[in-house]
Short mmCIF file of all heavy atoms in Angstrom, two decimals:
data_model
loop_
_atom_site.label_atom_id
_atom_site.label_comp_id
_atom_site.label_asym_id
_atom_site.label_seq_id
_atom_site.Cartn_x
_atom_site.Cartn_y
_atom_site.Cartn_z
N GLU A 1 0.82 -1.19 0.00
CA GLU A 1 0.00 0.00 0.00
C GLU A 1 0.86 1.25 0.00
O GLU A 1 0.52 2.23 -0.64
CB GLU A 1 -0.94 0.00 1.21
CG GLU A 1 -2.09 -1.00 1.10
CD GLU A 1 -3.00 -0.75 -0.10
OE1 GLU A 1 -3.43 0.40 -0.33
OE2 GLU A 1 -3.27 -1.70 -0.83
N LEU A 2 1.96 1.22 0.74
CA LEU A 2 2.84 2.39 0.76
C LEU A 2 3.41 2.67 -0.62
O LEU A 2 3.53 3.82 -1.03
CB LEU A 2 3.96 2.20 1.78
CG LEU A 2 3.56 2.34 3.24
CD1 LEU A 2 4.72 1.99 4.14
CD2 LEU A 2 3.08 3.75 3.53
N ASP A 3 3.75 1.62 -1.35
CA ASP A 3 4.27 1.81 -2.71
C ASP A 3 3.22 2.47 -3.60
O ASP A 3 3.55 3.31 -4.43
CB ASP A 3 4.69 0.47 -3.31
CG ASP A 3 5.96 -0.08 -2.69
OD1 ASP A 3 6.71 0.70 -2.08
OD2 ASP A 3 6.19 -1.30 -2.81
N ARG A 4 1.96 2.11 -3.42
CA ARG A 4 0.89 2.67 -4.25
C ARG A 4 0.73 4.17 -4.05
O ARG A 4 0.32 4.88 -4.96
CB ARG A 4 -0.44 1.98 -3.96
CG ARG A 4 -0.49 0.58 -4.50
CD ARG A 4 -1.79 -0.18 -4.21
NE ARG A 4 -2.79 0.49 -3.43
CZ ARG A 4 -4.01 0.83 -3.89
NH1 ARG A 4 -4.34 0.58 -5.12
NH2 ARG A 4 -4.88 1.40 -3.09
N VAL A 5 1.04 4.66 -2.86
CA VAL A 5 0.88 6.09 -2.59
C VAL A 5 2.21 6.83 -2.63
O VAL A 5 2.29 8.00 -2.26
CB VAL A 5 0.17 6.35 -1.24
CG1 VAL A 5 -1.23 5.78 -1.26
CG2 VAL A 5 0.96 5.78 -0.08
N GLY A 6 3.25 6.16 -3.08
CA GLY A 6 4.54 6.82 -3.24
C GLY A 6 5.42 6.82 -2.00
O GLY A 6 6.43 7.50 -1.97
N GLY A 7 5.06 6.07 -0.97
CA GLY A 7 5.90 5.99 0.22
C GLY A 7 7.02 5.00 -0.01
O GLY A 7 6.81 3.92 -0.54
N ASN A 8 8.22 5.38 0.35
CA ASN A 8 9.35 4.50 0.10
C ASN A 8 9.72 3.65 1.32
O ASN A 8 10.13 2.52 1.18
CB ASN A 8 10.58 5.31 -0.33
CG ASN A 8 10.36 5.99 -1.66
OD1 ASN A 8 9.55 5.53 -2.45
ND2 ASN A 8 11.06 7.08 -1.91
N GLN A 9 9.62 4.22 2.50
CA GLN A 9 9.99 3.47 3.69
C GLN A 9 8.88 3.61 4.73
O GLN A 9 8.32 4.68 4.91
CB GLN A 9 11.30 3.99 4.26
CG GLN A 9 12.48 3.71 3.35
CD GLN A 9 13.79 3.95 4.07
OE1 GLN A 9 13.83 4.55 5.13
NE2 GLN A 9 14.87 3.48 3.48
N ALA A 10 8.61 2.51 5.41
CA ALA A 10 7.58 2.50 6.44
C ALA A 10 8.22 2.74 7.81
O ALA A 10 9.18 2.06 8.17
CB ALA A 10 6.85 1.18 6.44
N GLY A 11 7.70 3.71 8.53
CA GLY A 11 8.14 3.93 9.90
C GLY A 11 7.40 2.99 10.83
O GLY A 11 6.59 2.17 10.40
N PRO A 12 7.62 3.12 12.13
CA PRO A 12 6.98 2.23 13.11
C PRO A 12 5.45 2.29 13.05
O PRO A 12 4.79 1.27 13.14
CB PRO A 12 7.50 2.71 14.45
CG PRO A 12 8.72 3.51 14.16
CD PRO A 12 8.57 4.03 12.76
N ALA A 13 4.89 3.48 12.90
CA ALA A 13 3.42 3.60 12.88
C ALA A 13 2.84 2.93 11.65
O ALA A 13 1.83 2.23 11.74
CB ALA A 13 3.02 5.07 12.94
N ALA A 14 3.45 3.14 10.50
CA ALA A 14 2.95 2.52 9.27
C ALA A 14 3.13 1.00 9.31
O ALA A 14 2.25 0.25 8.88
CB ALA A 14 3.67 3.11 8.06
N SER A 15 4.25 0.55 9.83
CA SER A 15 4.48 -0.89 9.93
C SER A 15 3.47 -1.55 10.86
O SER A 15 3.04 -2.68 10.62
CB SER A 15 5.90 -1.17 10.45
OG SER A 15 6.85 -0.73 9.50
N ALA A 16 3.07 -0.85 11.91
CA ALA A 16 2.10 -1.40 12.85
C ALA A 16 0.75 -1.66 12.19
O ALA A 16 0.00 -2.53 12.62
CB ALA A 16 1.93 -0.46 14.05
N LEU A 17 0.43 -0.91 11.14
CA LEU A 17 -0.84 -1.11 10.44
C LEU A 17 -0.92 -2.47 9.76
O LEU A 17 -2.00 -2.98 9.49
CB LEU A 17 -1.06 0.00 9.41
CG LEU A 17 -1.23 1.41 9.96
CD1 LEU A 17 -1.24 2.42 8.82
CD2 LEU A 17 -2.49 1.51 10.79
N PHE A 18 0.23 -3.07 9.47
CA PHE A 18 0.27 -4.36 8.78
C PHE A 18 0.58 -5.51 9.74
O PHE A 18 0.77 -6.63 9.31
CB PHE A 18 1.31 -4.32 7.66
CG PHE A 18 0.94 -3.34 6.58
CD1 PHE A 18 1.51 -2.08 6.56
CD2 PHE A 18 0.00 -3.66 5.62
CE1 PHE A 18 1.17 -1.16 5.58
CE2 PHE A 18 -0.36 -2.76 4.64
CZ PHE A 18 0.23 -1.50 4.61
N ASP A 19 0.65 -5.24 11.03
CA ASP A 19 0.97 -6.24 12.05
C ASP A 19 -0.31 -6.95 12.46
O ASP A 19 -1.22 -6.32 13.00
CB ASP A 19 1.62 -5.55 13.26
CG ASP A 19 2.02 -6.52 14.34
OD1 ASP A 19 1.86 -7.74 14.16
OD2 ASP A 19 2.53 -6.05 15.37
N LEU A 20 -0.39 -8.24 12.20
CA LEU A 20 -1.59 -9.01 12.52
C LEU A 20 -1.55 -9.63 13.92
O LEU A 20 -2.46 -10.32 14.32
CB LEU A 20 -1.81 -10.12 11.48
CG LEU A 20 -2.03 -9.63 10.06
CD1 LEU A 20 -2.18 -10.81 9.12
CD2 LEU A 20 -3.25 -8.73 9.98
N SER A 21 -0.47 -9.38 14.66
CA SER A 21 -0.35 -10.00 15.98
C SER A 21 -1.03 -9.19 17.09
O SER A 21 -1.19 -9.68 18.20
CB SER A 21 1.12 -10.19 16.34
OG SER A 21 1.77 -8.94 16.51
N ARG A 22 -1.44 -7.96 16.79
CA ARG A 22 -2.11 -7.13 17.80
C ARG A 22 -3.35 -6.53 17.20
O ARG A 22 -3.31 -6.03 16.08
CB ARG A 22 -1.19 -5.99 18.24
CG ARG A 22 -0.02 -6.41 19.00
CD ARG A 22 0.78 -5.20 19.49
NE ARG A 22 0.36 -3.96 18.86
CZ ARG A 22 1.16 -3.04 18.38
NH1 ARG A 22 2.44 -3.19 18.44
NH2 ARG A 22 0.69 -1.95 17.82
N PRO A 23 -4.44 -6.51 17.83
CA PRO A 23 -4.69 -7.22 19.08
C PRO A 23 -4.96 -8.70 18.79
O PRO A 23 -5.24 -9.08 17.64
CB PRO A 23 -5.95 -6.54 19.61
CG PRO A 23 -6.70 -6.15 18.37
CD PRO A 23 -5.63 -5.78 17.37
N ASP A 24 -4.87 -9.51 19.84
CA ASP A 24 -5.23 -10.92 19.68
C ASP A 24 -6.72 -10.99 19.35
O ASP A 24 -7.53 -10.29 19.97
CB ASP A 24 -4.96 -11.70 20.97
CG ASP A 24 -3.47 -11.88 21.22
OD1 ASP A 24 -2.69 -11.85 20.25
OD2 ASP A 24 -3.09 -12.04 22.39
N ILE A 25 -7.07 -11.80 18.37
CA ILE A 25 -8.46 -11.93 17.95
C ILE A 25 -9.05 -13.19 18.57
O ILE A 25 -8.47 -14.27 18.45
CB ILE A 25 -8.57 -11.98 16.42
CG1 ILE A 25 -8.03 -10.69 15.82
CG2 ILE A 25 -10.02 -12.20 16.00
CD1 ILE A 25 -7.93 -10.69 14.32
N ASP A 26 -10.16 -13.05 19.24
CA ASP A 26 -10.88 -14.19 19.81
C ASP A 26 -11.85 -14.68 18.74
O ASP A 26 -12.98 -14.22 18.63
CB ASP A 26 -11.62 -13.75 21.08
CG ASP A 26 -12.28 -14.90 21.79
OD1 ASP A 26 -12.48 -15.97 21.18
OD2 ASP A 26 -12.65 -14.72 22.97
N PHE A 27 -11.38 -15.62 17.91
CA PHE A 27 -12.18 -16.10 16.79
C PHE A 27 -13.46 -16.79 17.23
O PHE A 27 -14.48 -16.70 16.55
CB PHE A 27 -11.35 -17.02 15.89
CG PHE A 27 -10.29 -16.29 15.13
CD1 PHE A 27 -8.97 -16.34 15.54
CD2 PHE A 27 -10.62 -15.55 14.01
CE1 PHE A 27 -7.99 -15.65 14.83
CE2 PHE A 27 -9.64 -14.86 13.31
CZ PHE A 27 -8.32 -14.91 13.72
N THR A 28 -13.43 -17.47 18.38
CA THR A 28 -14.66 -18.11 18.85
C THR A 28 -15.70 -17.07 19.23
O THR A 28 -16.88 -17.24 18.96
CB THR A 28 -14.38 -19.06 20.04
OG1 THR A 28 -13.76 -18.34 21.10
CG2 THR A 28 -13.50 -20.22 19.62
N ALA A 29 -15.28 -15.96 19.82
CA ALA A 29 -16.22 -14.89 20.17
C ALA A 29 -16.77 -14.22 18.92
O ALA A 29 -17.97 -13.90 18.86
CB ALA A 29 -15.54 -13.86 21.07
N VAL A 30 -15.93 -14.02 17.92
CA VAL A 30 -16.39 -13.41 16.66
C VAL A 30 -17.42 -14.31 16.01
O VAL A 30 -18.50 -13.85 15.59
CB VAL A 30 -15.20 -13.15 15.70
CG1 VAL A 30 -15.70 -12.72 14.33
CG2 VAL A 30 -14.26 -12.12 16.29
N ALA A 31 -17.14 -15.62 15.93
CA ALA A 31 -18.08 -16.56 15.31
C ALA A 31 -19.39 -16.60 16.09
O ALA A 31 -20.47 -16.53 15.50
CB ALA A 31 -17.46 -17.95 15.24
N THR A 32 -19.30 -16.69 17.40
CA THR A 32 -20.50 -16.73 18.23
C THR A 32 -21.32 -15.47 18.05
O THR A 32 -22.55 -15.52 17.94
CB THR A 32 -20.12 -16.93 19.71
OG1 THR A 32 -19.39 -18.15 19.84
CG2 THR A 32 -21.36 -17.00 20.60
N GLY A 33 -20.67 -14.33 17.98
CA GLY A 33 -21.35 -13.07 17.77
C GLY A 33 -22.08 -13.01 16.44
O GLY A 33 -23.03 -12.24 16.26
N MET A 34 -21.63 -13.82 15.47
CA MET A 34 -22.27 -13.85 14.16
C MET A 34 -23.25 -15.02 14.04
O MET A 34 -23.73 -15.33 12.96
CB MET A 34 -21.21 -13.92 13.07
CG MET A 34 -20.29 -12.73 13.10
SD MET A 34 -19.15 -12.72 11.74
CE MET A 34 -19.88 -11.42 10.76
N GLY A 35 -23.50 -15.68 15.17
CA GLY A 35 -24.48 -16.76 15.19
C GLY A 35 -23.94 -18.12 14.78
O GLY A 35 -24.72 -19.04 14.53
N VAL A 36 -22.63 -18.27 14.72
CA VAL A 36 -22.03 -19.55 14.35
C VAL A 36 -21.52 -20.23 15.62
O VAL A 36 -20.72 -19.63 16.35
CB VAL A 36 -20.87 -19.34 13.35
CG1 VAL A 36 -20.17 -20.66 13.05
CG2 VAL A 36 -21.37 -18.69 12.08
N PRO A 37 -21.94 -21.46 15.88
CA PRO A 37 -21.41 -22.17 17.05
C PRO A 37 -19.89 -22.30 16.92
O PRO A 37 -19.37 -22.59 15.84
CB PRO A 37 -22.07 -23.54 16.99
CG PRO A 37 -23.23 -23.40 16.07
CD PRO A 37 -22.90 -22.28 15.13
N ALA A 38 -19.18 -22.10 18.02
CA ALA A 38 -17.73 -22.13 17.97
C ALA A 38 -17.15 -22.70 19.26
O ALA A 38 -17.71 -22.49 20.34
CB ALA A 38 -17.18 -20.73 17.74
N THR A 39 -16.05 -23.41 19.10
CA THR A 39 -15.33 -23.96 20.25
C THR A 39 -13.84 -23.74 20.04
O THR A 39 -13.39 -23.42 18.94
CB THR A 39 -15.60 -25.47 20.41
OG1 THR A 39 -15.29 -26.14 19.19
CG2 THR A 39 -17.06 -25.75 20.77
N ARG A 40 -13.07 -23.95 21.11
CA ARG A 40 -11.61 -23.80 21.04
C ARG A 40 -10.99 -25.10 21.55
O ARG A 40 -11.30 -25.56 22.64
CB ARG A 40 -11.17 -22.63 21.93
CG ARG A 40 -9.66 -22.41 21.94
CD ARG A 40 -9.27 -21.20 22.78
NE ARG A 40 -9.69 -19.98 22.09
CZ ARG A 40 -10.54 -19.09 22.59
NH1 ARG A 40 -11.06 -19.26 23.79
NH2 ARG A 40 -10.88 -18.02 21.90
N ALA A 41 -10.12 -25.68 20.73
CA ALA A 41 -9.44 -26.91 21.11
C ALA A 41 -7.98 -26.61 21.40
O ALA A 41 -7.31 -25.95 20.62
CB ALA A 41 -9.54 -27.93 19.97
N THR A 42 -7.51 -27.10 22.55
CA THR A 42 -6.11 -26.87 22.93
C THR A 42 -5.30 -28.17 22.94
O THR A 42 -4.14 -28.17 23.32
CB THR A 42 -6.01 -26.19 24.31
OG1 THR A 42 -6.67 -27.00 25.28
CG2 THR A 42 -6.64 -24.80 24.28
N SER A 43 -5.94 -29.27 22.53
CA SER A 43 -5.24 -30.55 22.44
C SER A 43 -5.85 -31.34 21.29
O SER A 43 -6.95 -31.05 20.82
CB SER A 43 -5.36 -31.35 23.74
OG SER A 43 -6.70 -31.79 23.92
N THR A 44 -5.14 -32.36 20.86
CA THR A 44 -5.67 -33.19 19.78
C THR A 44 -6.91 -33.95 20.23
O THR A 44 -7.83 -34.18 19.44
CB THR A 44 -4.61 -34.18 19.27
OG1 THR A 44 -4.10 -34.94 20.36
CG2 THR A 44 -3.47 -33.45 18.58
N THR A 45 -6.97 -34.31 21.50
CA THR A 45 -8.15 -34.99 22.04
C THR A 45 -9.36 -34.07 21.97
O THR A 45 -10.44 -34.48 21.51
CB THR A 45 -7.91 -35.45 23.49
OG1 THR A 45 -6.77 -36.31 23.51
CG2 THR A 45 -9.12 -36.16 24.06
N GLU A 46 -9.19 -32.82 22.41
CA GLU A 46 -10.29 -31.86 22.34
C GLU A 46 -10.71 -31.62 20.89
O GLU A 46 -11.90 -31.54 20.58
CB GLU A 46 -9.90 -30.53 22.98
CG GLU A 46 -9.81 -30.56 24.48
CD GLU A 46 -9.40 -29.21 25.05
OE1 GLU A 46 -9.06 -28.28 24.28
OE2 GLU A 46 -9.41 -29.08 26.28
N LEU A 47 -9.74 -31.51 20.00
CA LEU A 47 -10.05 -31.28 18.59
C LEU A 47 -10.87 -32.43 18.02
O LEU A 47 -11.88 -32.20 17.34
CB LEU A 47 -8.77 -31.08 17.79
CG LEU A 47 -8.94 -30.85 16.29
CD1 LEU A 47 -9.78 -29.60 16.01
CD2 LEU A 47 -7.59 -30.73 15.61
N ALA A 48 -10.48 -33.65 18.30
CA ALA A 48 -11.21 -34.82 17.80
C ALA A 48 -12.64 -34.84 18.34
O ALA A 48 -13.59 -35.09 17.59
CB ALA A 48 -10.47 -36.10 18.16
N GLU A 49 -12.80 -34.56 19.64
CA GLU A 49 -14.13 -34.55 20.24
C GLU A 49 -15.00 -33.45 19.64
O GLU A 49 -16.17 -33.68 19.32
CB GLU A 49 -14.01 -34.36 21.76
CG GLU A 49 -13.41 -35.54 22.49
CD GLU A 49 -13.06 -35.22 23.94
OE1 GLU A 49 -13.17 -34.04 24.37
OE2 GLU A 49 -12.66 -36.16 24.65
N GLN A 50 -14.43 -32.26 19.49
CA GLN A 50 -15.19 -31.13 18.97
C GLN A 50 -15.52 -31.32 17.49
O GLN A 50 -16.59 -30.94 17.04
CB GLN A 50 -14.43 -29.83 19.21
CG GLN A 50 -14.32 -29.48 20.67
CD GLN A 50 -13.41 -28.31 20.94
OE1 GLN A 50 -13.09 -27.54 20.05
NE2 GLN A 50 -12.97 -28.17 22.19
N PHE A 51 -14.60 -31.93 16.74
CA PHE A 51 -14.85 -32.19 15.32
C PHE A 51 -15.99 -33.19 15.16
O PHE A 51 -16.88 -33.00 14.32
CB PHE A 51 -13.57 -32.70 14.65
CG PHE A 51 -13.69 -32.85 13.17
CD1 PHE A 51 -13.80 -31.73 12.36
CD2 PHE A 51 -13.69 -34.10 12.59
CE1 PHE A 51 -13.91 -31.86 10.99
CE2 PHE A 51 -13.79 -34.24 11.22
CZ PHE A 51 -13.90 -33.12 10.41
N THR A 52 -15.97 -34.24 15.98
CA THR A 52 -17.05 -35.23 15.94
C THR A 52 -18.39 -34.59 16.26
O THR A 52 -19.39 -34.83 15.58
CB THR A 52 -16.75 -36.38 16.93
OG1 THR A 52 -15.52 -37.01 16.56
CG2 THR A 52 -17.86 -37.41 16.94
N ALA A 53 -18.41 -33.75 17.29
CA ALA A 53 -19.65 -33.06 17.66
C ALA A 53 -20.11 -32.10 16.56
O ALA A 53 -21.31 -32.01 16.27
CB ALA A 53 -19.45 -32.30 18.97
N ALA A 54 -19.17 -31.41 15.92
CA ALA A 54 -19.53 -30.48 14.86
C ALA A 54 -20.12 -31.22 13.66
O ALA A 54 -21.08 -30.74 13.03
CB ALA A 54 -18.30 -29.67 14.44
N LEU A 55 -19.56 -32.38 13.33
CA LEU A 55 -20.09 -33.16 12.21
C LEU A 55 -21.50 -33.68 12.50
O LEU A 55 -22.29 -33.86 11.57
CB LEU A 55 -19.16 -34.33 11.89
CG LEU A 55 -17.82 -33.97 11.24
CD1 LEU A 55 -16.97 -35.22 11.08
CD2 LEU A 55 -18.04 -33.30 9.90
N ALA A 56 -21.81 -33.90 13.76
CA ALA A 56 -23.12 -34.41 14.14
C ALA A 56 -24.20 -33.33 14.18
O ALA A 56 -25.37 -33.63 14.35
CB ALA A 56 -23.03 -35.11 15.50
N THR A 57 -23.78 -32.08 14.03
CA THR A 57 -24.71 -30.95 14.10
C THR A 57 -24.81 -30.31 12.73
O THR A 57 -23.79 -30.01 12.11
CB THR A 57 -24.19 -29.91 15.11
OG1 THR A 57 -23.93 -30.55 16.35
CG2 THR A 57 -25.19 -28.81 15.32
N PRO A 58 -26.04 -30.10 12.22
CA PRO A 58 -26.15 -29.46 10.91
C PRO A 58 -25.70 -28.00 10.95
O PRO A 58 -25.78 -27.34 11.98
CB PRO A 58 -27.64 -29.56 10.59
CG PRO A 58 -28.33 -29.93 11.84
CD PRO A 58 -27.31 -30.46 12.80
N GLY A 59 -25.22 -27.53 9.83
CA GLY A 59 -24.81 -26.14 9.71
C GLY A 59 -23.33 -25.94 9.99
O GLY A 59 -22.60 -26.88 10.30
N PRO A 60 -22.90 -24.69 9.89
CA PRO A 60 -21.48 -24.39 10.09
C PRO A 60 -21.08 -24.47 11.56
O PRO A 60 -21.92 -24.37 12.45
CB PRO A 60 -21.35 -22.95 9.58
CG PRO A 60 -22.69 -22.36 9.80
CD PRO A 60 -23.67 -23.48 9.58
N HIS A 61 -19.81 -24.65 11.78
CA HIS A 61 -19.25 -24.68 13.14
C HIS A 61 -17.78 -24.31 13.03
O HIS A 61 -17.08 -24.82 12.16
CB HIS A 61 -19.39 -26.08 13.76
CG HIS A 61 -19.02 -26.12 15.20
ND1 HIS A 61 -19.97 -26.13 16.20
CD2 HIS A 61 -17.83 -26.15 15.82
CE1 HIS A 61 -19.35 -26.16 17.37
NE2 HIS A 61 -18.05 -26.18 17.16
N LEU A 62 -17.33 -23.43 13.88
CA LEU A 62 -15.91 -23.06 13.89
C LEU A 62 -15.22 -23.74 15.06
O LEU A 62 -15.72 -23.73 16.17
CB LEU A 62 -15.75 -21.54 14.03
CG LEU A 62 -14.30 -21.09 14.09
CD1 LEU A 62 -14.04 -20.04 13.03
CD2 LEU A 62 -13.92 -20.59 15.45
N ILE A 63 -14.08 -24.35 14.76
CA ILE A 63 -13.22 -24.91 15.81
C ILE A 63 -11.89 -24.18 15.70
O ILE A 63 -11.18 -24.30 14.71
CB ILE A 63 -13.01 -26.42 15.65
CG1 ILE A 63 -14.34 -27.16 15.69
CG2 ILE A 63 -12.07 -26.94 16.76
CD1 ILE A 63 -14.24 -28.64 15.35
N GLU A 64 -11.57 -23.42 16.72
CA GLU A 64 -10.27 -22.73 16.77
C GLU A 64 -9.28 -23.69 17.41
O GLU A 64 -9.40 -24.02 18.59
CB GLU A 64 -10.37 -21.43 17.56
CG GLU A 64 -9.08 -20.68 17.61
CD GLU A 64 -9.18 -19.37 18.39
OE1 GLU A 64 -10.17 -19.12 19.07
OE2 GLU A 64 -8.21 -18.61 18.30
N ALA A 65 -8.32 -24.13 16.63
CA ALA A 65 -7.30 -25.07 17.13
C ALA A 65 -6.08 -24.28 17.56
O ALA A 65 -5.44 -23.63 16.74
CB ALA A 65 -6.94 -26.08 16.06
N ILE A 66 -5.76 -24.31 18.85
CA ILE A 66 -4.60 -23.62 19.40
C ILE A 66 -3.41 -24.56 19.29
O ILE A 66 -3.38 -25.61 19.93
CB ILE A 66 -4.85 -23.21 20.87
CG1 ILE A 66 -6.13 -22.38 21.00
CG2 ILE A 66 -3.65 -22.46 21.41
CD1 ILE A 66 -6.14 -21.10 20.21
N LEU A 67 -2.44 -24.18 18.47
CA LEU A 67 -1.26 -25.02 18.26
C LEU A 67 -0.14 -24.57 19.18
O LEU A 67 0.14 -23.39 19.32
CB LEU A 67 -0.81 -24.90 16.80
CG LEU A 67 -1.86 -25.24 15.76
CD1 LEU A 67 -1.31 -25.00 14.36
CD2 LEU A 67 -2.33 -26.68 15.91
N GLN A 68 0.51 -25.53 19.78
CA GLN A 68 1.66 -25.24 20.63
C GLN A 68 2.93 -25.32 19.78
O GLN A 68 3.09 -26.27 19.00
CB GLN A 68 1.74 -26.24 21.78
CG GLN A 68 0.52 -26.24 22.68
CD GLN A 68 0.26 -24.90 23.30
OE1 GLN A 68 1.19 -24.21 23.72
NE2 GLN A 68 -1.00 -24.50 23.38
N PRO A 69 3.83 -24.36 19.91
CA PRO A 69 5.08 -24.43 19.14
C PRO A 69 5.90 -25.64 19.55
O PRO A 69 5.91 -26.03 20.72
CB PRO A 69 5.81 -23.13 19.49
CG PRO A 69 5.10 -22.56 20.66
CD PRO A 69 3.77 -23.22 20.78
N SER A 70 6.55 -26.24 18.58
CA SER A 70 7.34 -27.45 18.90
C SER A 70 8.79 -27.10 19.12
O SER A 70 9.27 -26.06 18.87
CB SER A 70 7.23 -28.46 17.78
OG SER A 70 7.56 -27.88 16.55
#
């Protein structure tokens, strides 16, 4: 975007506009707010259980899988 408007270098404020790490987005809350059932899985066991439950329910369902760095 900076290139499109003739900006050559991005300062800290401009760079922050492209930073997706802040703020943390609560995807389950966003989905729930839009009427979509949502859960958060923090382990493979939780993910499997939630996926099975989601498949048994008609309509969309969001499962936010929290991955731990290895």
Side-chain angles (χ1 to χ4, degrees):
E1 287 300 312
L2 286 174
D3 288 340
R4 287 178 358 116
V5 297
N8 295 335
Q9 293 193 347
S15 294
L17 295 172
F18 296 99
D19 182 3
L20 298 178
S21 66
R22 292 184 348 225
D24 289 334
I25 299 172
D26 185 342
F27 290 102
T28 57
V30 172
T32 301
M34 299 186 106
V36 175
T39 55
R40 179 177 290 120
T42 58
S43 69
T44 55
T45 302
E46 287 179 353
L47 179 60
E49 291 169 353
Q50 293 172 18
F51 186 69
T52 300
L55 289 175
T57 307
H61 188 101
L62 179 126
I63 301 172
E64 181 179 11
I66 305 300
L67 304 176
Q68 300 301 320
S70 53

